[in-house]
Amino acid sequence: MKKFISLTKLLFVQQYRVKPTESKKRRGGTIATYIILAVCFAPMLVMIAIAMFGLGKLSQGLEEGGAGVCAMLIFMSQGAVLLFGIPTLISNVFTVKDADKLLFLPIRSSTVFTAKLTVAYLNEVITTAVMLVFMLLPFGIGYSAPVGYYLLLLLGLFLIPLLPMLIGSIIAIPLSALITKVGKNGVVKTILQTVMFFLIMAVYLFVMYELGFMDGSVEEDSTDIAQILLDKLQSVSVMVKYVHSNYTFANAMLATTFTVFIVNLLIAIAENVLLLGLVIAMALPFYHWMLTKSVEGGGSRRRKTAKSNLQVKNQGVVKELIFTDLKRITRESQIGFQSILSLIMLPVMVVIFYLAFGMSAGEEGKLIDVLKQFELYQIIAPLIFVTYMSMLGITSNIFGLYPISRENKSIYLVKSLPVSFNKYLLSKVILATAVMLISDFLTCLLIVILFGVKWYYGLAMLCVMAMLSFGGMCITTLVDLKSPKLGWTNFNQSLKNAKNSWIGLLIGLVTSLIVGIVGGLFVILWYFTKSGWYVLLIMWLAIIGVCVAFAFVCYKIMTKNAQKYFEAIEP
Amino acid sequence: MIRLTNVSKTYAKSTSKAVDDLTLEIKDGEIFGFLGPNGAGKSTTIKMITGILSPDSGTIEVDGINLAENALRAKSLIGFVPDNHETYETLKGIEYLNFIGTMYSVETSLLKQRISEYAEMFSLTDALPNMISSYSHGMKQKLMVIAALIHEPKVWILDEPLTGLDPQSAFQLKQLMRKHADNGNTVFFSSHVIDVVEKVCDRIGIINRGRLVTVDTLDNIRKDDKVSLESLFLTITSDGSDAAK
């Protein structure tokens, strides 16, 4: 037991701490960043909590009680836990990279497995805690749930992640086996991971759709919104009974008699223990199989011997730096996965929005078609899109967020090369910008095609997004130069306590706010003064002007300090 | 030629000096062995010469070029074999050599010729199309040696170069070091293996706790038959408490 606790502690700490000796000043900066972010996100989280509170109130009117809705919320939480937890599950449990560090120790492999599984589980508990606080807790208050509900929330913290762990294992085991089979081909691994991720998302959306959360259809004669929602909740309550462990637990949470409470609680615990048993029964033999593979697989089975493969060429410093960087990104499956995801995330979001807006609006046809009929649609829709996408764009671009951290310790090799820092920086900027441009172009193209936004607005959006992305990338590059996360053994783990993504998020929030305010003011002016098209032209010119200025200032800030920070990077 | 004048370095997270007022000159045509116990300042010195670290004070010159004033030109004269093999694991061997060749502006035909020559010499030709991550420790070391030589550096710096090499490759490397020095270049290498230093070097320097405690030619050391390099090393680095007899 002592060995298990010690190993679990080590694995957990290793995951969340890259640099154990962070200076007080830097730690203060990190805390300040988190506080600012919390302040920025607080309104959104409060809105979710208020919505859940309202849902609780509404559920009081359900004939069958709120257990079905509560089970639905648990299931939704589990979806988020699954989505965020599966990369950790794969990297912790089903990818054996540390066999050489652990096998020679006097610890049983089952203890190592249990410790790894516990770390993955604890990660999922953390996500669950967030979901409980902002979904289930306000729901309970709105529903005027009994005291037992709140007590069982604490138990739920540990029971709710078990189903996502089981589903995660069912997905991760064949995926890891497939990745092992494809050998050392990092590109194939990256593609496989990305495809798998979107498959999971698609299945999740399909399940939600089937359960009735997203189909959006309403009874044509229904006019009372509350009644429509009640009907919807009623139908969902029936469907979620099939996820029995959630339903019995929800029944126990909202039970008003002791008998109902204890019977449902015991069944829920038994079912969840069964889920845990299934996870272990599936994962342990697979872990042993992976362990054997990692030790006995060796690295020599795919030796190439053809000398004709040796293509030697000198193709110019910047080009060589860019292509070497690109090869390394695509071949390192974790970095590659994150990067490809960042490239396609915005276009995928547009498609998801389109599906959501494709819902029926009664006799009028699809909601999107109804919206298009409004005079303001062509003016407001591009503004909303550009505001939202510019916020996401900066945050999601891994190429621009971690240009130095992804080098890991080989940054010291770069420092010893006779290459000017400007060329090195240029190679990073070109690569990140090129990737962003592709992503931004696809996004704008999809908005034009799917949402019927005029092409010239699409072009204006592309200019705005490109400039904001470029400016944001300059700042995140600078932040990464100042405090790179080097010395990682697992890229995903290094991202968890990296400041860059939070800074990116902050920049995204600020820039989208600026675009929103500038655009909003002009729209108000245009609407109330009934001005002509030239006001809209000025609006877009003003927005683009602000964004160009932003990009220019950010670029200047980066070039002013970048070299100084680069030189200060020390082993 | 490498010249260090009053070079000092303290790491940001430390209060003691990793290298303290180091003054040293290594001439052309010389193989210089840099000895010292763990944490003595060998790697810090090498990292400063190669431009990875900046010294807090003092100057470093490589072939007469001040590293602080003209870092790129100075670096282009250096070939560096690091001890930790922190390289691009997800590149193929040949891609890595192409990368290094481009960084040092080696012409394609010359690059091809040198890669072929050195890869044959170290029996690495067959492995070059494979990912570096699949290489053994010795193969990575060989790749690092080849990468450090493909631009025919004026100054060759090797940090623990013989670790992990098979006897044939170790022999080849020692021969190459001698040949490189005999051609009028400078070879600077650090090692823990005193026997190797004794066999290969013309001159040695011993560093302890950041300070250079002795620099001498092996001929001078050998004059006294009763004192071996090993006993000298142990005496100097033991702080007098447990000096070797």
Side-chain angles (χ1 to χ4, degrees):
Chain A
M1 194 63 184
K2 206 174 172 184
K3 286 177 182 174
F4 164 74
I5 293 169
S6 177
L7 185 61
T8 307
K9 197 176 157 191
L10 180 133
L11 293 170
F12 193 75
V13 168
Q14 194 188 23
Q15 183 154 337
Y16 284 94
R17 190 174 66 189
V18 173
K19 277 186 180 175
T21 49
E22 205 175 42
S23 70
K24 272 185 183 173
K25 191 182 167 190
R26 193 164 281 179
R27 204 177 299 149
T30 310
I31 293 167
T33 312
Y34 288 143
I35 291 171
I36 295 168
L37 274 165
V39 170
C40 291
F41 275 98
M44 194 177 81
L45 294 171
V46 168
M47 275 176 70
I48 293 173
I50 290 169
M52 292 300 123
F53 178 82
L55 196 65
K57 282 258 177 228
L58 198 67
S59 301
Q60 285 178 332
L62 288 170
E63 287 168 19
E64 291 189 3
V69 183
C70 182
M72 172 195 85
L73 293 181
I74 292 174
F75 188 63
M76 285 173 83
S77 307
Q78 285 170 330
V81 173
L82 174 68
L83 214 61
F84 289 112
I86 205 160
T88 317
L89 195 66
I90 291 174
S91 62
N92 265 322
V93 186
F94 299 119
T95 311
V96 184
K97 281 187 174 173
D98 51 1
D100 53 341
K101 292 182 195 126
L102 296 170
L103 274 182
F104 68 91
L105 296 172
I107 315 171
R108 278 187 299 182
S109 60
S110 55
T111 309
V112 177
F113 164 80
T114 316
K116 283 171 168 248
L117 195 69
T118 307
V119 171
Y121 173 69
L122 288 174
N123 272 304
E124 300 203 344
V125 167
I126 291 169
T127 317
T128 308
V130 177
M131 304 304 287
L132 291 188
V133 169
F134 292 100
M135 287 180 80
L136 284 159
L137 186 64
F139 171 81
I141 297 167
Y143 189 77
S144 304
V147 184
Y149 179 90
Y150 304 101
L151 291 174
L152 286 189
L153 273 186
L154 288 174
L155 182 65
L157 191 63
F158 300 98
L159 292 186
I160 289 171
L162 290 173
L163 184 64
M165 279 199 84
L166 178 65
I167 299 170
S169 301
I170 292 169
I171 296 164
I173 287 174
L175 180 64
S176 299
L178 201 62
I179 286 173
T180 309
K181 287 279 176 204
V182 298
K184 293 183 183 300
N185 193 330
V187 180
V188 178
K189 274 185 197 176
T190 304
I191 292 169
L192 265 175
Q193 271 186 313
T194 314
V195 168
M196 208 65 189
F197 183 81
F198 282 103
L199 268 178
I200 296 166
M201 270 189 76
V203 169
Y204 180 69
L205 288 174
F206 176 76
V207 171
M208 291 294 169
Y209 194 89
E210 284 297 303
L211 285 174
F213 300 149
M214 288 182 65
D215 65 355
S217 58
V218 292
E219 297 296 329
E220 284 180 17
D221 56 346
S222 295
T223 47
D224 184 359
I225 294 173
Q227 189 56 48
I228 295 168
L229 277 170
L230 269 176
D231 291 344
K232 181 68 71 185
L233 289 173
Q234 201 80 50
S235 68
V236 167
S237 303
V238 176
M239 294 298 288
V240 290
K241 281 179 186 171
Y242 294 114
V243 191
H244 204 259
S245 56
N246 287 349
Y247 189 65
T248 48
F249 188 62
N251 269 318
M253 288 172 90
L254 294 173
T256 46
T257 64
F258 182 73
T259 318
V260 175
F261 170 78
I262 200 75
V263 168
N264 279 289
L265 181 62
L266 287 175
I267 294 172
I269 290 173
E271 283 173 337
N272 278 290
V273 168
L274 185 69
L275 292 178
L276 180 65
L278 281 171
V279 171
I280 294 170
M282 278 195 320
L284 184 58
F286 183 74
Y287 176 76
H288 281 137
W289 180 76
M290 289 288 286
L291 202 63
T292 314
K293 279 272 172 193
S294 76
V295 180
E296 295 173 6
S300 57
R301 64 198 161 99
R302 290 179 71 242
R303 287 274 186 264
K304 293 175 187 171
T305 51
K307 286 186 187 177
S308 56
N309 279 348
L310 300 182
Q311 283 188 336
V312 178
K313 58 179 174 184
N314 179 332
Q315 55 179 349
V317 172
V318 176
K319 199 175 167 189
E320 181 70 51
L321 282 167
I322 291 171
F323 280 97
T324 301
D325 206 4
L326 199 59
K327 276 178 202 164
R328 295 178 63 210
I329 288 168
T330 48
R331 287 174 188 170
E332 168 60 56
S333 61
Q334 282 180 346
I335 303 177
F337 174 63
Q338 298 272 359
S339 304
I340 292 182
L341 209 61
S342 72
L343 176 69
I344 54 180
M345 198 178 98
L346 290 187
V348 168
M349 289 295 287
V350 175
V351 175
I352 291 173
F353 284 152
Y354 175 71
L355 292 175
F357 279 91
M359 67 172 73
S360 166
E363 288 174 355
E364 305 285 336
K366 289 180 178 176
L367 181 61
I368 183 75
D369 297 326
V370 176
L371 288 172
K372 278 179 192 172
Q373 290 165 14
F374 289 98
E375 187 191 10
L376 277 171
Y377 177 78
Q378 281 297 337
I379 290 115
I380 299 230
L383 265 182
I384 291 173
F385 272 120
V386 84
T387 307
Y388 187 67
M389 293 297 170
S390 59
M391 184 180 80
L392 279 183
I394 296 168
T395 321
S396 64
N397 188 358
I398 297 291
F399 287 84
L401 280 176
Y402 307 101
I404 309 300
S405 294
R406 70 167 180 257
E407 293 274 354
N408 207 7
K409 284 187 178 173
S410 57
I411 189 75
Y412 306 125
L413 169 78
V414 175
K415 286 190 83 179
S416 74
L417 296 174
V419 177
S420 76
F421 173 72
N422 286 340
K423 281 187 179 171
Y424 179 66
L425 189 63
L426 186 66
S427 73
K428 295 284 181 190
V429 170
I430 289 175
L431 183 60
T433 309
V435 171
M436 280 182 317
L437 269 179
I438 296 169
S439 178
D440 289 344
F441 177 75
L442 282 174
T443 307
C444 293
L445 189 69
L446 282 171
I447 290 171
V448 169
I449 294 169
L450 299 177
F451 286 88
V453 168
K454 299 260 191 262
W455 67 269
Y456 41 83
Y457 287 131
L459 204 62
M461 284 166 63
L462 181 62
C463 292
V464 172
M465 283 167 71
M467 285 298 136
L468 292 180
S469 303
F470 178 80
M473 185 262 302
C474 289
I475 298 298
T476 50
T477 299
L478 193 66
V479 171
D480 202 30
L481 271 165
K482 194 177 179 189
S483 50
K485 295 280 173 192
L486 305 172
W488 45 265
T489 48
N490 181 329
F491 185 66
N492 279 346
Q493 289 170 0
S494 80
L495 298 188
K496 282 196 173 143
N497 55 358
K499 224 191 295 180
N500 315 35
S501 51
W502 300 112
I503 300 263
L505 203 58
L506 263 183
I507 298 167
L509 281 169
V510 171
T511 52
S512 60
L513 203 67
I514 292 169
V515 171
I517 289 171
V518 174
L521 287 174
F522 273 97
V523 169
I524 292 167
L525 180 75
W526 176 82
Y527 188 76
F528 285 105
T529 58
K530 299 289 176 198
S531 311
W533 59 269
Y534 57 88
V535 174
L536 297 175
L537 179 69
I538 295 168
M539 174 187 85
W540 279 106
L541 287 176
I543 293 173
I544 292 170
V546 168
C547 295
V548 169
F550 169 76
F552 180 75
V553 170
C554 292
Y555 179 72
K556 281 286 167 196
I557 293 171
M558 178 183 74
T559 47
K560 190 183 170 193
N561 298 307
Q563 185 151 9
K564 185 175 73 188
Y565 293 148
F566 179 72
E567 281 164 9
I569 297 172
E570 289 187 350
Chain B
M1 182 267 285
I2 305 170
R3 184 183 292 136
L4 293 97
T5 313
N6 305 117
V7 171
S8 293
K9 175 74 188 174
T10 306
Y11 284 104
K13 289 164 197 159
S14 171
T15 48
S16 59
K17 287 184 176 177
V19 172
D20 189 2
D21 201 29
L22 178 66
T23 298
L24 181 66
E25 186 175 333
I26 301 127
K27 297 184 181 72
D28 288 340
E30 182 175 65
I31 302 180
F32 185 86
F34 203 41
L35 289 169
N38 294 333
K42 297 189 300 293
S43 288
T44 304
T45 306
I46 286 177
K47 279 171 185 156
M48 284 193 287
I49 299 171
T50 51
I52 295 171
L53 285 175
S54 305
D56 298 334
S57 60
T59 55
I60 298 170
E61 286 175 49
V62 178
D63 206 35
I65 296 159
N66 189 317
L67 192 69
E69 288 167 5
N70 201 343
L72 294 190
R73 230 182 117 206
K75 283 179 188 179
S76 68
L77 299 171
I78 298 172
F80 175 43
V81 181
D83 64 333
N84 52 12
H85 307 142
E86 289 297 350
T87 182
Y88 295 157
E89 294 271 320
T90 46
L91 287 188
K92 293 168 185 172
I94 187 67
E95 288 171 345
Y96 180 70
L97 294 178
N98 270 327
F99 172 75
I100 294 292
T102 307
M103 295 303 115
Y104 283 94
S105 309
V106 182
E107 205 183 298
T108 304
S109 58
L110 212 56
L111 185 63
K112 199 169 187 172
Q113 180 200 319
R114 286 177 188 161
I115 288 175
S116 171
E117 181 191 334
Y118 289 124
E120 281 296 324
M121 186 185 289
F122 287 104
S123 311
L124 206 66
T125 312
D126 289 347
L128 286 183
N130 297 331
M131 291 279 182
I132 298 174
S133 55
S134 70
Y135 285 16
S136 68
H137 181 86
M139 286 160 82
K140 282 181 192 168
Q141 183 75 323
K142 288 177 189 176
L143 186 74
M144 292 293 121
V145 171
I146 297 172
L149 285 173
I150 50 174
H151 63 289
E152 295 280 301
K154 190 87 184 84
V155 173
W156 198 15
I157 298 170
L158 307 99
D159 199 357
E160 298 288 347
L162 297 165
T163 314
L165 287 186
D166 53 63
Q168 291 94 329
S169 302
F171 176 75
Q172 292 278 16
L173 182 61
K174 283 185 264 183
Q175 295 278 93
L176 271 177
M177 284 160 72
R178 185 74 268 163
K179 193 177 156 196
H180 203 69
D182 290 346
N183 286 341
N185 301 310
T186 308
V187 178
F188 180 104
F189 90 103
S190 79
S191 180
H192 288 111
V193 189
I194 293 172
D195 290 349
V196 175
V197 175
E198 213 162 7
K199 279 176 193 158
V200 178
C201 297
D202 301 316
R203 211 153 61 97
I204 61 148
I206 299 176
I207 187 170
N208 192 29
R209 296 186 175 188
R211 295 190 77 94
L212 189 67
V213 281
T214 189
V215 184
D216 211 339
T217 62
L218 273 163
D219 292 338
N220 280 344
I221 291 168
R222 284 188 189 120
K223 272 179 192 167
D224 185 351
D225 290 340
K226 288 173 191 164
V227 181
S228 68
L229 178 59
E230 188 178 29
S231 62
L232 180 73
F233 176 81
L234 291 171
T235 308
I236 288 172
T237 58
S238 64
D239 297 320
S241 56
D242 54 350
K245 302 280 183 305

